[in-house]
Amino acid sequence: MINNRLVFAIICIYIVACNQNSRVVSVSTLAGNGSMGNQNGALRQASFSNPMAVAADKGGNVYVADSRNNLIRKINHNGVVSTYAGSGLEGSADGPARTASFFYPQGIAVDKKGNVYVADTHNSLIRKISPDGMVSTIAGRRADQFGRGRDSSVRLDNPSGIAVDEDGNVYIADWANDLIRKINSGGKLTIVAGNGNPGSQNGQDTAASFYLPWGIAVDPQKNLYITDSYNNMIRKVSPNGLVTTIAGHKAKGSSNGKDTLASFLHPTGIAVDQKGNIYVADTENHCIRKILPDGEVSTLAGNGLRGFVDGPGAKANFYRPFGLAVNDRGDIFVADYLNNRIREIHVNK
């Protein structure tokens, strides 16, 4: 005779197991053959040289700041890699995409109109690529000249992260200046947060401090999320300018847990999805972390060992992942810097 309680227990165990496995994380290679180069073409035949940032548009295209190549690359929705802008030569020339030049770009973002924004890091400039393929400089000052038709009164210092909101405001992690800046839709450059001195102070806008902030992301409510890389913290700037620490603490580590009990090791790229989940490239831990809206930090993908392995999230390897982007479907793209590949993380529900 079958014990009804035993049957009920087995059913419960089965349901719990199914729920636990309902979110399966897998890592694959979107593009790149792993060798350094600038080859265009089919996904796995193409090559990159130390890609540092990625951005995704609503049409299924992915843009890459191909840093060592001084190029902006595009992976279209049909799976073809091409050069979107840049001659490959070090420089700061504006103009048509093919003849324009960049110098180690490290940040990239795309707005709803298809404009691509680039943190042209070693030029200390912010560049814009319009849908018609024209490259212009919208902020920063070249060492030897002032620009026309833009705010050139401020000298940026190795800007890294860049993000754009629904209204066309551009936000910058001005890395070596320890500042968070904003370019409004009219082109005016202002300081959003930071006093310009290295530190980890929370507080109101310019009373707060950062230590080499790297990545930046913005949510629909215009909250900014910043990887404060040398503080090993994730910071938040609310629309009213209040700076808080939402995860991590100064001590280096790789611990998961609630908000400031978790630890990171030089986090860089950051992205936020439509549900308010935050994803962080924990670069020196060689993994991708996730922060839930309630502040719980977990490891989404990567086992902490540097290398290259695709597969289940907990078994995958990265090698100094930098840039992150998330599309409307929740797919996460990773600029896997020393693997010279663009990786993709799927969360199957």
Side-chain angles (χ1 to χ4, degrees), residues 6 11 29 31 61 68-69 136 212-213 215 234 251 299-300 335 346:
L6 178 60
I11 292 172
T29 296
N61 304 297
R68 189 173 291 277
N69 279 326
S136 59
L212 299 178
I234 311 304
T299 300
L300 180 70
H346 292 283

Side-chain angles (χ1 to χ4, degrees), residues 138-160:
I138 62 170
R141 176 164 58 89
R142 293 174 174 83
D144 59 347
Q145 64 183 28
F146 286 89
R148 296 180 180 178
R150 61 187 171 87
D151 192 341
S152 60
S153 60
V154 176
R155 183 81 187 273
L156 305 175
D157 195 348
N158 285 274
S160 51

